[in-house]
Amino acid sequence: MNKNSRIYVAGHTGLIGSALLRLLKREGCSHILTRTHTGLDLTNQKAVDRFFTKEKPQYVFLAAARVGGIHANKTYPAEFIYQNLMIQTNVIDCALKYKAKKLLLLSSSCIYPIKSPQPMKEAVLFSGDIEETNDAFGMAKLTGIKMCQAYHRQYGANFISVIPANVYGPGDHFDENGHVLAALIEKFHQAHQRNKKWVTLWGTGKPKREFLYVEDAAEGCVFLMKKYHQPDPINLGIGRETSITQLARLVQSTVGFRGQLKFDTAKPDGNLRRLLDSRKIHALGWRAGVSLENGLQRTYDWYRKHLDGKVK
Ligand SMILES: NC(=O)c1ccc[n+]([C@@H]2O[C@H](COP(=O)([O-])OP(=O)(O)OC[C@H]3O[C@@H](n4cnc5c(N)ncnc54)[C@H](OP(=O)(O)O)[C@@H]3O)[C@@H](O)[C@H]2O)c1
């Protein structure tokens, strides 16, 4: 991939897609292809085919997906499986048909078996049941990986799958159904604005999660697009965990909330650990560059500028 390559970022208005777009522009790529969801519905096979016939992208970042929180996944499993299978099938097949040199599929860490030993190695994928709350979404994502592998096996296609840790940053979804870090920013910010005496969090605060700043996620993807050419999926993480309590304290101090932190221990905790084993990508020479403190501050600055008072 070079500055003159025709590069398609599918899902360029989303959290990761928009960071990819910013990065590719910063790197001076002159031929970036994008379409909005309304301009090109990727579940529509004919429309996707027309787009590929016309634009013939050489490199494809597949960051478009129907994503959502636990509630949405539980309520709309049919939409999640149908739309994600369609998006992946249409884009992957057209990438082959129109001779893209490479495709990078963004997968998700929720596809790891619930009982995976920690940290989660790529080799344990497909070895057990995945989380029931997002099994429809997860099955579509697992199928995406199998498609990339099958296209590699039969046609030698250079299609790779990447599994990022929990991504956060500017452009995130800050409502209570969003990702944990963004939801905490919204919660603490609102409590601060309203001079509340405390903030209550679900569970014990003990579960640990791994957080990857979105600009690092984009850099990791571009790095893998250039350097990784295997059909086996690869994790993209920082290799460090933060407990929900530690995260809440960090968000609290970033926002400047002086009240108390309480835990509703009657509420479920979920998995205690979900750490990716990122030794494979680290061995290739990639490391995340943005600390959680710094990424959090940048995310909060963005939130205040763009969304303060607008999140419902
Ligand atoms: N965020 C994370 O923590 C994280 C972590 C690991 C993996 N991932 C994976 O990375 C990918 C991107 O995630 P994200 O957080 O960036 O998601 P996002 O912010 O929700 O963005 C999804 C993008 O896909 C577009 N899209 C959805 N359905 C479409 C369709 N039928 N046709 C065309 N475009 C469509 C959306 O456009 P509209 O908004 O206009 O619908 C949006 O641009 C997903 O596969 C996700 O599973 C995310």
Side-chain angles (χ1 to χ4, degrees):
M1 189 173 83
N2 61 44
K3 289 178 184 172
N4 301 317
S5 307
R6 288 189 304 280
I7 306 168
Y8 173 38
V9 181
H12 75 287
T13 61
L15 173 62
I16 299 179
S18 60
L20 275 167
L21 189 63
R22 290 193 293 276
L23 175 60
L24 294 168
K25 281 184 179 167
R26 274 202 305 279
E27 288 200 345
C29 296
S30 56
H31 212 132
I32 306 172
L33 307 162
T34 57
R35 292 291 187 277
T36 60
H37 188 164
T38 350
L40 173 61
D41 181 352
L42 294 171
T43 63
N44 180 331
Q45 198 259 335
K46 282 195 179 132
V48 176
D49 197 285
R50 270 197 302 275
F51 168 74
F52 271 79
T53 319
K54 179 164 179 257
E55 302 288 2
K56 297 201 173 47
Q58 296 167 298
Y59 295 87
V60 178
F61 288 94
L62 184 37
R66 169 79 190 270
V67 302
I70 295 176
H71 179 69
N73 269 280
K74 270 178 142 175
T75 319
Y76 309 109
E79 289 176 23
F80 275 84
I81 196 162
Y82 172 76
Q83 290 179 21
N84 286 306
L85 282 174
M86 291 302 282
I87 291 171
Q88 290 168 178
T89 304
N90 291 337
V91 175
I92 291 172
D93 197 56
C94 277
L96 179 87
K97 190 169 166 192
Y98 295 99
K99 300 187 171 46
K101 292 184 178 166
K102 189 155 183 183
L103 174 142
L104 181 151
L105 171 73
L106 272 151
S107 197
S108 165
S109 61
C110 72
I111 61 174
Y112 273 100
I114 325 165
K115 293 187 180 145
S116 300
Q118 302 292 319
M120 302 184 291
K121 287 190 182 60
E122 292 92 345
V124 307
L125 285 166
F126 300 100
S127 68
D129 289 342
I130 62 172
E131 185 69 56
E132 203 184 315
T133 43
N134 53 234
D135 61 348
F137 173 79
M139 283 310 292
K141 287 292 185 185
L142 284 166
T143 306
I145 293 178
K146 281 287 178 205
M147 272 192 84
C148 289
Q149 292 178 326
Y151 277 58
H152 174 84
R153 205 160 62 229
Q154 188 173 340
Y155 304 112
N158 194 354
F159 295 171
I160 65 169
S161 310
V162 179
I163 306 172
N166 297 302
V167 177
Y168 71 97
D172 212 335
H173 307 280
F174 288 84
D175 55 89
E176 58 188 23
N177 290 320
H179 303 123
V180 59
L181 189 148
L184 283 180
I185 289 184
E186 164 71 2
K187 204 168 184 150
F188 277 103
H189 179 77
Q190 293 306 333
H192 185 47
Q193 296 295 97
R194 293 175 183 148
N195 281 320
K196 295 256 175 144
K197 292 206 168 62
W198 64 79
V199 157
T200 307
L201 303 184
W202 273 38
T204 62
K206 285 184 186 152
K208 292 177 177 170
R209 295 290 180 266
E210 182 183 14
F211 299 101
L212 175 65
Y213 189 58
V214 71
E215 304 294 337
D216 279 334
E219 279 183 13
C221 288
V222 170
F223 174 89
L224 290 170
M225 184 65 111
K226 291 175 182 169
K227 304 256 172 175
Y228 184 71
H229 309 288
Q230 305 299 322
D232 306 326
I234 183 163
N235 289 336
L236 171 59
I238 64 167
R240 256 195 325 279
E241 300 166 285
T242 305
S243 74
I244 299 301
T245 306
Q246 288 169 321
L247 178 68
R249 297 265 178 239
L250 271 176
V251 176
Q252 179 175 16
S253 75
T254 306
V255 168
F257 174 67
R258 293 211 179 83
Q260 267 184 289
L261 188 57
K262 291 188 179 182
F263 294 94
D264 181 355
T265 52
K267 296 283 193 312
D269 260 344
N271 293 305
L272 278 182
R273 295 182 72 197
R274 298 295 286 167
L275 178 66
L276 295 176
D277 184 330
S278 295
R279 278 179 291 182
K280 204 156 117 179
I281 187 170
H282 294 165
L284 288 173
W286 180 87
R287 291 263 172 189
V290 180
S291 69
L292 184 56
E293 290 80 0
N294 186 349
L296 199 51
Q297 187 64 55
R298 292 198 217 174
T299 308
Y300 186 50
D301 292 345
W302 185 90
Y303 165 88
R304 290 192 66 179
K305 195 165 164 202
H306 293 87
L307 292 175
D308 191 359
K310 293 185 193 144
V311 182
K312 288 193 195 97

